[in-house]
Amino acid sequence: MTLAVTIAIMVAGGVYLMLQRGMVRIVLGLLLLGHAVNLLIMSAGGTFRRDQPLLGINPPDWAADPLPQAFVLTAIVIAFSIVIYMLTLAASGSDDDTEDAS
Amino acid sequence: MVLLTSILVLAATVLSIPLVERVLGRNTGWFAAAVLAALTALIAAQAPQVLGSDEALTYSVPWMPQIGVEFHLRMDALGWLFTLLVTGVGALIMAYSTRYFPPGRRLGFYFLMTLFAFSMTGLVLADDVVLLYVFWELTTIASFYLIGLSGPGASRPAIRTFLITAVGGLALLGAAVLLVVRTGTTQLSAILADQTWTQDSTFTVLVTLLVVVAVFTKSAQFPFHYWLPDAMAASTPVSAYLHAAAMVKAGIYLAMRFTSAFGEVFLWNAALITFGLITAVIGAVFALQQHDLKRLAAYSTVSQLGFLIAVIGVGTPEALVAAAAHTVAHALFKSALFMVVGLVDHEAGTRDLRDLGGLARRMPVTAAIATLAALSMAGIPPLLGFVSKEYLFAGLLGASGGPWAGILAGAVAVGAAAFTFAYSFRFVHSAFFGEPRGERRAAQENVHEAPAAFWLPAALSALGGVVLGLAVPVLDPLVNGVAQDTTGTAADAHLLLWHGFNPELAMSAAAIALGVLLVWRTASGESYAGRSLLPVDGPSVFERIHGATIRAGRRVGDLTRTDAIAFHLGAPIVMTIVLAAAVLWIGIDLPAPAGQTSRPLDWLLVGLMGVAVLGAALTRSRLAALALIGVAGFTTALWLFFLGAFDVALTQLLVEVLTVVVAVLVLRRLPRTFHPVTRKRSVLTALIAIASGLVAGTAAFAFTGRRELSSAADYFLGNAPEDTGGDNVVNTILVDYRAFDTLGELVVLGVAGLIIIAVLRNSDLLPVHKARKPEVPVTNPVFESAPNTVLMRTVAKFLLPILVIWSLYLLARGHNEPGGGFIGGLVGGSAFALTYLAASSDAAARIRLAYPAIIGSGVLVALGSGLLGFFEGSFLLPLHAEIPLPGGDYYHFTTALIFDVGVYLAVVGVLLAALNELGLENGGTARPATPPSPPGTSEGEFPDDTAPSLEGTGATAVGVDTTTTGGAR
């Protein structure tokens, strides 16, 4: 429930920013949306098991699902590379405005 | 084995052409002709079995066994006839080509011609509809390129031809798919023998229409007929082979092949007879009108194909006998005539009848060849064309559909035959007899007969018509075999030159008489040649339809075409909301949650996130928005930590820091505030945003946490230490179990870094925005940047090596404890970011490392460790070794660690690229020439290359950027 509410807030904020004018706001919106989707993937593992999947420390009985964690870990880094690429686009050429004068 | 040999020999010939052509040049034709002639002999030698015993040769080998497609070849009498046609005429044309072209390289021509011979042979031997379709399309492609070879003027004709025949190809594919789905087999002979589907009239009508379109487009039937004259842009050997003897016969072949299934379908009979006769008439009328010999021959081909289609449409054994005989006759006389066109064009320098005449005296052999071929075409005894035309008439008289149908068809055919006589006469008379005409009259005096090697192939072809006409009974087994294969009924025909007084003879006589009258009344076509009979011509109609289609497509695109990114981003979001609303409307059953999914402390994070996101959405300041999104990112990291994902949380935290660093480097080049939008838009987007948030939240609540641990997770948690020797299950998934995914991701990361570099090599970064450059009076202490950054620089100096070492430690321990390549790389990158922020000026904070090479080496190291896996069997399989340590312990080494080093390098490389490219005053590209550092400033603070070199402060004093040094912190 709590995670779902968090995701709702983040998606709403991300979508709002993405639909505004200007590359930077779009990038920020995408960033937020990316975080939200990562949390969504995490929640797919089930949020009732919350021990770390470090078998040297914890027994596996209550360890969280490691597969979504691996997905999200790589997703974070990919999202980062995309974001810095989009920021490059925002700062090159001319202004980061994405629309003609309104 | 004969079938396989033929196909393989042809394939080998195609592949050997590039080598042979290098040596032989235009004489490669001799080589191709020899191969085709040998194959002709080989095929001809199969006559006793194929024609004598009524038993087809077959060969098959599985091709795509999963979907039941076999490489299935079959040669019955019909296949034998067309194979001989392809190889026999092919051999003549190849030999002819050696003298048609001037000396020199002809790689494209011979390669495509042999490729065509290969595909056409495959087409007529294929006994699998998939195979048939593939070869069918190959002939289309070969034709397209062969037409296009003739130069820039041929490109539109090539495209028009290609598009028309491709439409037919698609129709054939449609028919093939329908038949395969219905009958459950792809074998053509089995499909045709299966009578169950022909009982379903709707289905049969559909398949019939599709096959008819395929036949009509390929064999140039009205209303698609115009592509054939259009294709005359190709060189003459191409026209002779593809557009007279072979490729256009693919449609004839297909029609004959499907006769066994469609022979009694009324739609088939009606369509083929009607359109065939229309084509025969208009082709013949247009042919008489031409000045250009080659276009005359092309329209004549159209007309003859029309005759063939019409008689095949009758569908009786007698009609198919006629079709088989006329196919042979037409291949012989038409290829000879096309070769004559080439001879005339070559020797006289023109093929326009207005500039020719009287060539018989200069080119007697060519004139004789032309006369023989034209007599056969006109249907004069004792040539083969006469016999086949007699049978055509007889076949058409047998058309079903009422007592008048046969008589009407016969009458129309006689009319078309009269025009055939007239244009045959025109071909020979206007070119070879009479007096030289036109402006080039003087030049005609110097025309010589072509060399023997040039005219010999044409002569052989024309003589074939004479020999077979006189010895026409030798064709009996062939035509009866074809009738048997196509209609399933023995025809028992006995072809004879003279078979008594009968209606056909009267029709032949009438056609010739009318033809003579026509020649007389029109001065052998001259009096109405060139006059336009129709208000439109095919190519312009095609171009109009083509243009209109493209315009229509553009107009459809215009409905949604916009440069506004928001529209493109919004559309899928709104669609998702609509879909979700539909699902909610229908309703779904949900199982109960599998456990306690929420904990009280979570609400703290919800609140934190709410504040951060609301603030980020409302603020108009870029920096504030960035900071608030940063808060949201940290909250996400906390969430991940709460969920037991320590590694992920750590990664998120580091990425968040670095994102802010990079974003600040960009933001200082942009205005302080966001671009304003209208209030209406704000409200609308807020509504969309809230709806999508509700949808996402509902979905997350409804679909997650409602099952026990997944079986995959169960496996990983239970077996990771044993399988991989690592206790950190997430890391083992990344570098062991799913290393291939990680490798892919690594490449994406590296490519993103390289693209950033590439973008900035092509377009300059914006200069630092004026609003971000406060004018500071020299007296102000802030002016001096070097003293102002002393603290940071001192800290950074000590922190840098510690951070780098720590990052390596994180990398090394990742397999068992939190850490790994990603986290290590991000920490290492942070170390460089720190030195960057600490630098006294942005022009100075240069990192002198070859970061593209670091990115590349990261990907290569990861790939290399993956290749090591082949020692144990597969790509990316980690190898393990126990390395003894002093003291009796063992260190567990695995090549997964090397893989992780690759990850580390790629991450560091991309971070360096971003910092350096975006951070410098003018970006990483337009680097100002570095002035030598004034001695004594800060020289020697960073001894190695990895540290930023500091420049003199005076040169950049005014440009001190408060955001770089202050904003990020």
Side-chain angles (χ1 to χ4, degrees), chain B residues 814-896:
Chain B
H815 222 45
N816 290 306
E817 289 164 84
F822 285 115
I823 292 172
L826 290 167
V827 169
S830 312
F832 291 108
L834 181 66
T835 62
Y836 208 92
L837 297 180
S840 62
S841 113
D842 54 0
R846 187 166 303 146
I847 299 161
R848 289 182 178 157
L849 286 176
Y851 38 86
I854 296 179
I855 298 173
S857 64
V859 174
L860 286 179
V861 166
L863 266 176
S865 84
L867 292 177
L868 285 179
F870 278 117
F871 284 115
E872 293 260 317
S874 80
F875 187 55
L876 285 169
L877 186 74
L879 311 180
H880 300 275
E882 296 290 337
I883 299 170
L885 293 176
D889 271 352
Y890 284 89
Y891 173 68
H892 180 92
F893 177 80
T894 159
T895 53

Side-chain angles (χ1 to χ4, degrees), chain B residues 220-245:
Chain B
Q221 296 299 294
F222 177 83
F224 308 111
H225 62 283
Y226 65 87
W227 77 255
L228 191 53
D230 205 19
M232 289 302 122
S235 62
T236 301
V238 173
S239 305
Y241 194 23
L242 272 69
H243 306 133

Side-chain angles (χ1 to χ4, degrees), chain B residues 132-155:
Chain B
L132 175 79
Y133 170 73
V134 169
F135 281 125
W136 181 279
E137 289 294 30
L138 265 180
T139 62
T140 301
I141 292 164
S143 158
F144 169 73
Y145 282 112
L146 280 167
I147 299 171
L149 269 187
S150 310
S155 76

Side-chain angles (χ1 to χ4, degrees), chain A residues 1-26 28 31-32 35 38-40 42-57 60 63-67 69-78 80-85 87-99 102, chain B residues 565-566 569-570 594 596-599 602-603 606 609 613 616-617 619 622 625 629 632-633 636 639-640 642-646 648 651-652 655-656 659 662-663 666 670 674-677 681-682 685-686 689 692-693 696-697 700-701 704-705 707 709-710 713 716-717 721 727-730 733-734 738 745 749 752 755-756 760 763-766 818 822 911 914:
Chain A
M1 180 67 188
T2 43
L3 193 54
V5 174
T6 313
I7 290 169
I9 294 170
M10 295 171 83
V11 167
V15 166
Y16 180 78
L17 285 174
M18 263 172 56
L19 297 181
Q20 303 307 310
R21 195 176 148 198
M23 194 65 160
V24 169
R25 271 188 145 183
I26 294 175
L28 294 180
L31 203 58
L32 206 50
H35 293 337
N38 284 343
L39 287 180
L40 188 67
M42 287 300 294
S43 79
T47 51
F48 48 92
R49 300 168 62 115
R50 293 194 183 185
D51 279 1
Q52 294 176 31
L54 294 169
L55 302 182
I57 302 167
D65 193 333
L67 193 58
Q69 294 194 13
F71 288 157
V72 169
L73 204 157
T74 57
I76 289 171
V77 182
I78 289 213
F80 172 62
S81 66
I82 301 298
V83 162
I84 58 176
Y85 168 57
L87 283 172
T88 306
L89 292 183
S92 61
S94 59
D95 197 328
D96 79 321
D97 199 356
T98 51
E99 283 158 44
S102 60
Chain B
I565 296 179
L569 289 173
Q596 185 60 38
T597 54
S598 303
R599 298 186 187 176
D602 293 350
W603 289 105
V606 175
M609 186 64 83
V613 169
T619 182
R622 288 171 190 260
I629 293 294
T636 309
W639 248 120
L640 293 165
F642 274 32
L643 293 172
F646 189 73
V648 189
T651 312
Q652 170 74 34
V655 159
E656 210 48 53
T659 306
V662 174
V666 167
L670 296 167
F674 289 117
H675 299 282
V677 294
R681 174 163 171 181
S682 296
T685 49
S692 57
F701 179 71
T704 60
R707 60 167 164 77
L709 200 60
S710 69
F716 290 134
L717 288 173
D727 286 335
N728 183 350
V729 183
V730 175
I733 294 175
L734 287 176
R738 305 189 61 89
E745 184 230 3
L749 184 69
I755 292 178
I756 289 172
L760 294 180
S763 74
D764 287 337
L765 274 178
L766 294 168
F822 285 115
L911 283 170

